[in-house]
Amino acid sequence: EAGVAQSPRYKIIEKRQSVAFWCNPISGHATLYWYQQILGQGPKLLIQFQNNGVVDDSQLPKDRFSAERLKGVDSTLKIQPAKLEDSAVYLCASSLEFGSPNEQFFGPGTRLTVL
Amino acid sequence: DAKTTQPPSMDCAEGRAANLPCNHSTISGNEYVYWYRQIHSQGPQYIIHGLKNNETNEMASLIITEDRKSSTLILPHATLRDTAVYYCIADNAGNMLTFGGGTRLMVKP
């Protein structure tokens, strides 16, 4: 079974630039998550999709972050404009369904460095 | 979600059992205890979850106290590849995961 795919694996940009990350979840998984993990901390949930609808985006800084999952499969997370404090690993995860005990499968993450 | 408390770090000798504790004294009746681990430079990996009864799978065992205020993750025969940060999370469906600082387990030869 193929895992969660993310690209790029690494990205270096300057502050005020824009950046986008892509995620392809495990086939058939209805729920998709984006997390931000700052060095030395646990992952923080940014946004959660059920198919192509947003379930929760309460921790997404909406003035600069946006995410979409147009066809209910793959997803993109965008930052515009980036700040120094956005330097982190951005993790995508997926799970089979929402609302029942289930496990999340994580991708390898995209490491973003903002200079 | 209930808050969980874990020791920041632990050591374990290779081949011995690793017992990782977690306190979740405010856990509610419908919240499960989930364990994930994160090996360096990788995404987190699901290990196990439980509600009331003890659970075992090919990776680990989960022991939950009768009052559900604490639990222990047991890796029966730790290897060097088990060196990772282990996260204990209380959540009702495993969707809204709130990761704390976790326990950094170092398995030593």
Side-chain angles (χ1 to χ4, degrees):
Chain A
E1 172 181 274
V4 175
Q6 290 189 248
S7 67
R9 290 296 312 277
Y10 304 92
K11 189 74 176 179
I12 301 174
I13 61 172
E14 297 194 347
K15 60 183 179 183
R16 291 188 289 273
Q17 286 187 320
S18 302
V19 65
F21 313 124
W22 175 82
C23 172
N24 191 29
I26 292 173
S27 177
H29 279 195
T31 310
L32 184 146
Y33 316 78
W34 283 102
Y35 289 83
Q36 179 193 59
Q37 185 171 24
I38 293 171
L39 186 65
Q41 300 180 15
K44 182 181 86 170
L45 181 66
L46 293 176
I47 188 168
Q48 181 182 166
F49 293 93
Q50 172 74 359
N51 296 311
N52 61 348
V54 175
V55 174
D56 185 279
D57 63 357
S58 58
Q59 299 198 86
L60 187 73
K62 299 180 188 61
D63 57 334
R64 299 182 299 106
F65 286 65
S66 64
E68 59 184 13
R69 194 185 183 199
L70 292 177
K71 297 183 179 178
V73 181
D74 56 352
S75 175
T76 56
L77 176 70
K78 297 179 182 177
I79 307 175
Q80 180 179 9
K83 293 185 175 182
L84 296 177
E85 59 261 36
D86 298 332
S87 293
V89 175
Y90 291 85
L91 295 159
C92 179
S94 68
S95 62
L96 190 58
E97 55 191 20
F98 178 84
S100 62
N102 68 98
E103 61 181 281
Q104 294 186 24
F105 294 83
F106 284 80
T110 296
R111 182 177 298 277
L112 173 67
T113 302
V114 182
L115 303 176
Chain B
D1 294 345
K3 179 179 171 59
T4 61
T5 304
Q6 300 178 253
S9 64
M10 291 182 64
D11 290 344
C12 177
E14 188 178 20
R16 304 297 293 270
N19 298 290
L20 291 91
C22 179
N23 286 322
H24 30 79
S25 58
T26 61
I27 196 168
S28 62
N30 64 345
E31 285 185 313
Y32 291 75
V33 179
Y34 292 83
W35 283 84
Y36 282 77
R37 74 179 183 184
Q38 189 170 25
I39 295 170
H40 182 63
S41 296
Q42 297 182 21
Q45 175 191 24
Y46 166 85
I47 301 173
I48 198 167
H49 75 273
L51 183 63
K52 296 180 182 179
N53 300 321
N54 299 337
E55 302 287 345
T56 296
N57 62 21
E58 64 279 4
M59 288 183 68
S61 295
L62 174 60
I63 309 297
I64 303 174
T65 58
E66 194 169 339
D67 63 7
R68 300 208 331 119
K69 291 185 177 181
S70 66
S71 60
T72 301
L73 179 76
I74 302 172
L75 307 178
H77 305 286
T79 71
L80 299 179
R81 288 180 300 221
D82 293 321
T83 291
V85 178
Y86 287 77
Y87 296 99
C88 169
I89 303 164
D91 187 78
N92 56 4
N95 299 119
M96 307 294 290
L97 298 181
T98 301
F99 288 83
T103 295
R104 186 173 299 276
L105 176 69
M106 179 73 71
V107 180
K108 298 183 175 181

